[in-house]
């Protein structure tokens, strides 16, 4: 038997964890499984942390169509590259639905 076992330990999320990895929350405006209001509410909670937290909503996308859209994958990949590579692979938001990644020679 585990001495320090608590019933809710597996479901507890520390939204104030300042040392967690960067987090991108993605929503689709037509998603009925995880509506944008729910995703945005989670984003607001996670912003209590000093760790990087971003939110992106794609218009006219439902829950499963988000996974099939190249523009969604491109955006998430650009965001992840920017977060993980820092100055080695500069990526900047072009304020649309994608990122520009600058490869140096």
């Amino acid at each position: 038997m585990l001495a320090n076992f608590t019933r809710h330990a597996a479901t507890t999320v520390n939204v104030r964890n300042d040392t967690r990895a960067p987090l991108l929350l993605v929503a689709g405006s037509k998603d009925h499984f995880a509506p944008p209001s729910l995703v945005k509410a989670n984003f607001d909670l996670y912003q209590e942390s000093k760790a990087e937290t971003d939110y992106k909503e794609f218009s006219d996308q439902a829950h499963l169509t988000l996974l099939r859209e190249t523009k969604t994958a491109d955006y998430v990949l650009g965001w992840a590259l920017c977060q993980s590579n820092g100055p080695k692979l500069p990526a900047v938001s072009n304020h649309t639905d994608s990122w520009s990644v600058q490869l140096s020679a």
Side-chain angles (χ1 to χ4, degrees), residues 7-53:
R7 183 173 182 204
H8 300 288
T11 60
T12 301
V13 175
N14 180 4
V15 296
R16 294 180 183 93
N17 182 355
D18 294 335
T19 61
R20 68 166 165 74
L23 176 63
L24 172 63
L25 293 127
V26 178
S29 65
K30 294 185 176 183
D31 190 339
H32 298 292
F33 293 106
S37 59
L38 176 65
V39 179
K40 184 71 167 77
N42 278 299
F43 168 73
D44 292 341
L45 285 173
Y46 276 101
Q47 279 197 299
E48 294 180 21
S49 165
K50 293 178 185 174
E52 183 72 27
T53 308

